[in-house]
Amino acid sequence: MQTKFGIRRNFARRAGTYDAHAQVQRYMAAELLGLSAEAVRQARRILEVGCGTGYLTRELRRLNAQALLVAVDLDPALLQAARQKLNGDTRTAWLAADGEAITRGRFDLIISNSAFQWFSQPAETLANYARCLTPGGRLAFTAVGPGTFPELRRSLEQAAAELKTAGPDLAAARFPGDSDWQRLLEQAGFAHIRVQRHTLTVYFPSPQAFLKSLQATGATNPVPRPLSPRLFRAMLTAYHARFALNGAIPATYELIWAEARK
Ligand SMILES: C[S@@+](CC[C@H](N)C(=O)[O-])C[C@H]1O[C@@H](n2cnc3c(N)ncnc32)[C@H](O)[C@@H]1O
């Protein structure tokens, strides 16, 4: 699938720079672990979807030394980085696969940090995950929401209007929101559903620095729609003029956290 190929390619290209730029993803992982630590400690079999370079995987292992852990990611290069981080851990199985294709297994906990927003079939995937959980088992995940990067969206809209051209959509606009996840979890048959959202604003010295950092994490549009140089320059100018404050520009994330039980 074109989009999934693009997601994998974007993240794989950034395997070497991801860790240095993934502050927001680390923040999300810390929040996820803070809220799900007990479920992690109690689980005997854990599936982690979209493990990337293994930041959350290592924390899961710190919290639970005994559990059998299956860590899945679309890309083998990322899995290799994760495997190195866990330093020969023999109770972790590494699987290069589409996490949406997992339809069988027996897990007490399915957990994921900042990956579910990329799903192409979230309804089917959540229903499969519900089937893979043991009775009382938990699903816990964070995801980036559709309200992410409003500053970039408005700057693009302004630049496109000024140049009388069409601006491209941001990938984030198509991500499910908190009420979508609530509905999807209900439809998949989960109980005790809790979904929360909040925003987090991070600051960069310039719009260019923000875009560079975003690129370094691979979290860019899976189907590239390059801006014309004119539109790109106009967007940078608009971003700076509208949003710069004391020499810094903001980039706001909408972060979603969800937990549910079978
Ligand atoms: C933003 S990174 C997060 C990585 C890691 N969870 C962390 O906390 O640092 C998103 C990861 O999800 C993976 N991913 C996206 N869609 C996926 C899918 N359908 N199946 C497996 N992995 C997927 C990407 O390859 C990427 O490594």
Side-chain angles (χ1 to χ4, degrees):
M1 184 181 297
Q2 169 78 19
T3 309
K4 213 145 263 185
F5 173 81
I7 295 168
R8 177 182 158 194
R9 181 206 49 213
N10 282 355
F11 283 109
R13 274 186 190 158
R14 307 302 170 193
T17 53
Y18 178 86
D19 285 352
H21 291 268
Q23 297 94 327
V24 173
Q25 287 78 5
R26 280 201 295 276
Y27 172 92
M28 294 167 80
E31 201 168 43
L32 178 63
L33 287 171
L35 292 158
S36 305
E38 211 33 54
V40 175
R41 284 198 193 93
Q42 285 170 5
R44 287 187 301 166
R45 292 177 60 88
I46 302 175
L47 170 67
E48 185 196 351
V49 180
C51 68
T53 59
Y55 178 73
L56 178 70
T57 327
R58 187 170 57 189
E59 299 304 311
L60 294 173
R61 186 47 89 209
R62 278 196 187 129
L63 279 175
N64 185 332
Q66 289 307 316
L68 286 174
L69 192 51
V70 178
V72 180
D73 201 279
L74 283 172
D75 190 72
L78 296 167
L79 283 170
Q80 184 55 27
R83 190 194 286 260
Q84 277 171 6
K85 225 175 238 148
L86 269 81
N87 214 5
D89 182 289
T90 53
R91 297 185 70 76
T92 303
W94 306 97
L95 188 60
D98 180 355
E100 292 198 271
I102 294 177
T103 54
R104 273 185 283 172
R106 229 49 204 139
F107 300 101
D108 308 305
L109 173 67
I110 298 179
I111 193 162
S112 176
N113 187 45
S114 190
F116 277 24
Q117 67 273 7
W118 298 110
F119 281 174
S120 53
Q121 298 185 304
E124 292 82 348
T125 303
L126 292 183
N128 285 330
Y129 288 176
R131 277 192 284 278
C132 291
L133 282 170
T134 50
R138 289 180 196 229
L139 172 69
F141 67 92
T142 62
V144 175
T148 294
F149 305 148
E151 303 89 355
L152 179 60
R153 183 173 41 76
R154 284 191 213 127
S155 305
L156 265 173
E157 281 165 6
Q158 183 177 326
E162 281 165 12
L163 298 179
K164 299 190 173 33
T165 174
D169 289 339
L170 297 183
R174 291 184 298 280
F175 293 162
D178 54 341
S179 51
D180 299 315
W181 285 118
Q182 173 80 35
R183 179 180 42 78
L184 286 162
L185 288 164
E186 282 167 13
Q187 286 170 356
F190 282 95
H192 302 287
I193 299 167
R194 290 194 292 158
V195 182
Q196 294 170 10
R197 71 169 281 284
H198 66 92
T199 56
L200 175 75
T201 302
V202 288
Y203 291 88
F204 294 88
S206 64
Q208 291 92 324
F210 158 52
L211 294 173
K212 215 169 146 193
S213 166
L214 191 61
Q215 216 168 39
T217 65
T220 46
N221 206 325
V223 185
R225 297 185 190 85
L227 303 189
S228 73
R230 272 181 82 218
L231 184 59
F232 187 68
R233 278 196 302 275
M235 181 274 288
L236 293 177
T237 306
Y239 205 136
H240 206 273
R242 256 179 105 163
F243 297 106
L245 195 65
N246 299 326
I249 68 102
T252 300
Y253 287 79
E254 181 186 19
L255 303 181
I256 295 168
W257 166 84
E259 197 199 54
R261 284 192 217 170
K262 179 166 178 176

